[in-house]
Amino acid sequence: MRSKLAFIGLGVMGSPMAINLLQSSYTVVGWNRTPNRPLVEKAAQAGVQIFPTIADAVKDADFIFICVSDVEDVKAVIFGEGGIADNAKSNALIVDFSTIGTTAARDISAQLQPRNLRFMDAPVSGGDIGAQKGTLTIMVGGDKADFDQCLPLLQTMGKKIVYCGTVGNGQAVKLCNQVLCAVHMVALCEAMQVAEQLDLDPNLMIEVCSSGAAGSWALSNLGAKIAESDFAPGFMIKHILKDLRLVQESLADTDINLPGVKLSDRLFKIVQDMGGSEQGTQAMIRAYKESSM
Amino acid sequence: MRSKLAFIGLGVMGSPMAINLLQSSYTVVGWNRTPNRPLVEKAAQAGVQIFPTIADAVKDADFIFICVSDVEDVKAVIFGEGGIADNAKSNALIVDFSTIGTTAARDISAQLQPRNLRFMDAPVSGGDIGAQKGTLTIMVGGDKADFDQCLPLLQTMGKKIVYCGTVGNGQAVKLCNQVLCAVHMVALCEAMQVAEQLDLDPNLMIEVCSSGAAGSWALSNLGAKIAESDFAPGFMIKHILKDLRLVQESLADTDINLPGVKLSDRLFKIVQDMGGSEQGTQAMIRAYKESSM
């Protein structure tokens, strides 16, 4: 029987990633918790065979990719009844693209080892656009030999595929990435507030500051959105809040102090409480403008 | 008599700027509070005629450039005894490169107007390297006709010369720039702390995060210095603290809340209290590592 790849979770990220995976020479099959979704149908039309159960999807798979929302979802598809752990064939390589923090990734790996299942954490950045274009950054933690074996498959989905070391290290790099994104948003919102108070054209400020030592991706890409009160996501506030929670959980055993992360967390939560949880992270400006903070 | 340019303040920024100004077709003369400094002698050797008093330096000048440290220094060279205001010829254009905040710039301009002296604020970014290479960004506030007249001279000193609107607006853009730099440093320090706690290679984290939505000039240029505990300036902590003070002064009449600025100010002050005031801004990491904050 021909080898196959299974993709668990065909949502806004997983569906286009599974479609890009069809570029490999393998068969790609998939499963989604809610099967009747346009993104699942899109994957099916592209050639991903959709199965009604995880067990059917993974039973012949050499590689099993997971792309779901949060820690509990990942644990459910792996360890839940009828899940991957009970149905995957021996020595299958499970690659989890979800952002779940270092602790969960290492726990899952440790639990899979005695069952002869291999695990790599491989969180991504680049958003739905990156998933569609196959230009994601993929941060991989796990065994180097497993990484090398999987690399050609990852290259169908991402442009920058980085081996970060032992299992959990992909998560660790992703958490650093999210710390930077969250606190850069504080910087951007405050610069926008100063510009407004001093009667500056915000786009002039953005253009000038982008070119030098004050430059950031956030300034160049999200500053103009703030100026226009365009809060469409991009990356949703509920997702950055999840990631900041994972930062705090992953560092729970340490006495590290992260006041910038705490501040950004507080500001995002203010916007969440205003009903902005599905707005883009740039909606942090609402905490400055619509609350007394 | 041939027109000339006067340059007041031949320090680490002013000396190379005055030297670059020699590329214009004008005579350049200069004055420095402390004349016997290597940088002043360097300017003299390049062709800047050094005068012992401000009065002598500015009396025939069509354009008078100022590059000193802080608000009080600018006011002293303009309004002090034997200063520019009493000695410049009528209709001379005074261009101040110092970062002094919006309020001081507008006050100075208003006081010079009845004396028939024109004023533009033109704070710069790009550091001593940018001053030497003539690649500074210069943010100019003032009358548009004055800006146009001065532009060819500014172009000998900077690569990106931006007209920001009415007097004080150059300062306003510069303050936004410094807000971004200060809070980006918080983001960078916390990402570095997370990387360390999670046993990541900091340079791997920097390289991966630089390429995407977490990217910033600070991450790309100062992250590696933090990893090596290289705190040589760059831009000194005492100067960013001055600029953050100016942000707060410029917004004193408003009820704007800038918790990220306040946090960065607090962290830089901790390092200042450790004796780090002349270290680069990346020494903020010392607040995280060497204090209980």
Side-chain angles (χ1 to χ4, degrees):
Chain A
M1 186 172 187
R2 189 157 172 232
S3 325
K4 68 177 190 186
L5 314 177
F7 209 108
I8 303 302
L10 298 166
V12 66
M13 298 295 288
S15 171
M17 290 171 78
I19 291 170
N20 282 328
L21 203 48
L22 291 166
Q23 294 165 29
S24 70
S25 56
Y26 292 84
T27 306
V28 181
V29 308
W31 173 88
N32 198 56
R33 187 168 51 191
T34 316
N36 300 317
R37 285 275 170 81
L39 283 165
V40 180
E41 276 156 32
K42 196 170 174 187
Q45 280 161 18
V48 177
Q49 191 185 349
I50 310 299
F51 281 93
T53 69
I54 292 176
D56 287 337
V58 304
K59 66 173 191 267
D60 303 314
D62 302 285
F63 297 89
I64 301 166
F65 299 99
I66 302 173
C67 195
V68 297
S69 288
D70 205 342
V71 181
E72 294 316 309
D73 305 304
V74 175
K75 288 188 174 168
V77 299
I78 296 179
F79 298 113
E81 205 181 317
I84 295 167
D86 287 338
N87 291 284
K89 66 182 190 184
S90 184
N91 206 37
L93 177 54
I94 300 169
V95 180
D96 177 26
F97 296 120
S98 323
T99 298
I100 60 172
T102 52
T103 316
R106 288 170 187 158
D107 285 353
I108 290 169
S109 177
Q111 286 180 62
L112 289 172
Q113 216 155 15
R115 294 166 176 252
N116 279 319
L117 292 169
R118 297 177 291 156
F119 181 81
M120 296 201 306
D121 61 305
V124 303
S125 72
D128 52 344
I129 307 287
Q132 287 158 28
K133 292 190 175 166
T135 58
L136 294 169
T137 294
I138 310 182
M139 296 153 258
V140 188
D143 189 272
K144 182 62 164 58
D146 293 343
F147 173 81
D148 291 337
Q149 193 195 355
C150 195
L151 183 59
L153 300 176
L154 297 176
Q155 283 168 335
T156 67
M157 296 176 274
K159 201 167 74 174
K160 191 177 178 86
I161 320 291
V162 187
Y163 179 67
C164 300
T166 186
V167 70
N169 275 21
Q171 296 293 332
V173 174
K174 178 71 187 285
L175 295 182
C176 291
N177 193 82
Q178 301 308 78
V179 164
L180 289 161
C181 289
V183 185
H184 286 173
M185 193 54 67
V186 175
L188 176 55
C189 287
E190 299 198 6
M192 295 295 291
Q193 284 289 88
V194 172
E196 183 177 290
Q197 291 292 325
L198 298 178
D199 288 326
L200 281 180
D201 171 358
N203 291 312
L204 174 78
M205 182 280 282
I206 292 164
E207 196 253 324
V208 177
C209 295
S210 293
S211 66
S216 72
W217 186 96
L219 179 65
S220 299
N221 290 276
L222 300 175
K225 293 192 181 204
I226 292 177
E228 293 158 17
S229 298
D230 171 3
F231 300 140
F235 192 72
M236 287 181 192
I237 283 181
K238 69 178 180 184
H239 292 139
I240 194 101
L241 279 170
K242 183 203 84 172
D243 294 347
L244 295 178
R245 190 198 80 218
L246 293 172
V247 170
Q248 286 158 15
E249 285 175 10
S250 295
L251 296 167
D253 296 341
T254 73
D255 58 358
I256 188 175
N257 199 347
L258 301 173
V261 168
K262 273 186 204 135
L263 172 61
S264 63
D265 188 69
R266 183 165 73 79
L267 296 169
F268 283 128
K269 279 178 178 152
I270 289 170
V271 183
Q272 185 181 48
D273 290 346
M274 293 172 176
S277 100
E278 301 203 341
Q279 292 183 320
T281 53
Q282 72 275 19
M284 180 194 273
I285 195 73
R286 295 181 62 198
Y288 288 86
K289 289 184 177 295
E290 299 172 35
S291 83
S292 57
M293 311 198 333
Chain B
M1 188 170 186
R2 187 157 175 232
S3 322
K4 67 176 192 189
L5 315 177
F7 210 108
I8 303 302
L10 298 166
V12 66
M13 298 295 289
S15 171
M17 290 171 77
I19 291 170
N20 283 328
L21 203 47
L22 290 167
Q23 295 164 28
S24 72
S25 56
Y26 291 85
T27 306
V28 182
V29 308
W31 174 88
N32 198 56
R33 187 168 51 191
T34 314
N36 301 319
R37 285 275 171 81
L39 284 165
V40 180
E41 277 156 32
K42 195 170 175 186
Q45 281 162 16
V48 178
Q49 192 185 348
I50 309 299
F51 281 93
T53 68
I54 292 176
D56 287 335
V58 305
K59 66 171 191 270
D60 304 314
D62 303 286
F63 297 88
I64 301 166
F65 300 99
I66 302 173
C67 195
V68 296
S69 288
D70 204 342
V71 181
E72 293 317 309
D73 305 305
V74 175
K75 290 188 173 167
V77 298
I78 296 179
F79 298 114
E81 204 181 316
I84 295 167
D86 287 340
N87 292 284
K89 66 182 189 185
S90 185
N91 206 37
L93 177 55
I94 301 168
V95 180
D96 177 27
F97 296 120
S98 323
T99 298
I100 60 173
T102 53
T103 316
R106 287 170 188 158
D107 286 352
I108 291 169
S109 177
Q111 287 182 61
L112 289 172
Q113 215 156 15
R115 295 168 176 252
N116 280 319
L117 292 170
R118 297 176 290 156
F119 181 82
M120 297 202 304
D121 62 305
V124 304
S125 71
D128 52 343
I129 307 287
Q132 288 158 26
K133 293 190 176 168
T135 57
L136 294 169
T137 294
I138 310 182
M139 296 152 260
V140 188
D143 189 271
K144 183 62 162 62
D146 293 342
F147 173 81
D148 291 338
Q149 194 195 353
C150 195
L151 183 59
L153 300 176
L154 297 176
Q155 283 167 335
T156 67
M157 295 176 276
K159 201 168 74 173
K160 189 176 179 89
I161 321 291
V162 188
Y163 180 68
C164 301
T166 186
V167 69
N169 276 21
Q171 295 293 332
V173 174
K174 179 72 189 283
L175 295 182
C176 292
N177 194 82
Q178 301 308 78
V179 164
L180 288 161
C181 289
V183 185
H184 285 171
M185 194 54 67
V186 176
L188 176 55
C189 287
E190 299 199 5
M192 295 295 290
Q193 285 287 89
V194 173
E196 183 176 290
Q197 290 293 325
L198 298 178
D199 288 325
L200 280 180
D201 171 359
N203 291 310
L204 173 79
M205 182 280 282
I206 292 164
E207 195 254 324
V208 176
C209 295
S210 292
S211 66
S216 73
W217 185 96
L219 179 65
S220 299
N221 290 276
L222 300 175
K225 293 193 181 202
I226 292 178
E228 293 157 17
S229 298
D230 171 3
F231 301 140
F235 193 71
M236 287 181 191
I237 282 180
K238 69 178 179 186
H239 292 139
I240 195 100
L241 279 170
K242 185 204 82 173
D243 295 346
L244 295 178
R245 190 198 79 217
L246 293 171
V247 169
Q248 285 159 16
E249 285 174 12
S250 295
L251 296 167
D253 296 341
T254 73
D255 58 358
I256 188 176
N257 198 347
L258 300 174
V261 169
K262 273 185 204 136
L263 172 60
S264 63
D265 188 68
R266 183 165 73 78
L267 295 170
F268 284 128
K269 279 178 178 153
I270 289 171
V271 182
Q272 186 180 48
D273 290 345
M274 292 173 179
S277 103
E278 301 203 341
Q279 293 184 317
T281 52
Q282 73 275 17
M284 180 193 274
I285 195 74
R286 296 181 61 199
Y288 288 85
K289 288 185 178 297
E290 300 171 34
S291 82
S292 57
M293 310 197 334

